[in-house]
Amino acid sequence: MAKVYAVGVGPGSPEYITKIVMDIIQNADVVAGYDYTLNTINQHLIGKKVHHITMSNQENAYQRLAKDLRDETLVIPFTGDVNFSESEVIDRLIQIFSDVTLIPGVSSTQVAASRACIPTDKCQVISMHITGDIEDKKHRMIQALKDKLSVILVPRPWPSRPDLSFMPSDVSKYLADKGFDTKQQRVLVYEYLTMPTEKVFEGSMAELIGREFSDMTVMVIDQNKSDSYMNYPWQWAKAV
């Protein structure tokens, strides 16, 4: 009986592939994924049947694999964490293959949080990188900012439909239109995290207007307030 795994291979650098994911890939018979993701695991693909997936061919490719698989192991790798920003594909894979084992990976949002020293339990993590409507996600971002939380945001690139794009410059304009003082909002924008080409912009939200960023981008709107255990001496103070 065929086995199907959907695995996260980290934000780009092979150093961020977990051992369990590496073992699953090495023991697989068939690997199907997007080119950028396959490049991350290229050294583990020798001797395997490899299918290159694109947005336009993915449905036919998955249907064909479901029909042709016998007693083989299929691995479908995703950049970052398979449980973040991939729900539309994962839901479809479960519909097609029925039994899919998900193995998490390191998300670019986790790396961005570490780079910015922002604890994820004090922020709202939002992905706009979906096909469907993002108005609810925009409202969640606004509410988080009003609640004084930091926001880690994966923007939405859509080169063929600029009206649907929601990149850093669009985020800045949107927040300004909603009454936020974007000149006072600290923001960090990371591109190609963990890769040799990694870049970071640090400045105010207002400075993002007109700036172009790649589709491998994560934003951090920093509203973090330091709160160490030194603020709570009663934890260790002796009772009088």
Side-chain angles (χ1 to χ4, degrees), residues 21-30 44 48 73 75:
V21 168
M22 192 180 303
D23 289 345
I24 289 171
I25 294 170
Q26 289 176 336
N27 291 316
D29 302 296
V30 185
H44 305 296
K48 304 186 186 307
T73 297
V75 173

Side-chain angles (χ1 to χ4, degrees), residues 178-191:
K178 294 298 181 180
F180 287 89
D181 185 358
T182 54
K183 292 181 179 178
Q184 300 302 316
Q185 283 180 312
R186 179 174 183 263
V187 64
L188 301 103
V189 182
Y190 299 97
E191 296 181 271

Side-chain angles (χ1 to χ4, degrees), residues 167-185:
M167 292 298 282
S169 181
D170 304 308
V171 176
S172 178
K173 184 178 184 303
Y174 178 81
L175 291 177
D177 290 345
K178 294 298 181 180
F180 287 89
D181 185 358
T182 54
K183 292 181 179 178
Q184 300 302 316
Q185 283 180 312

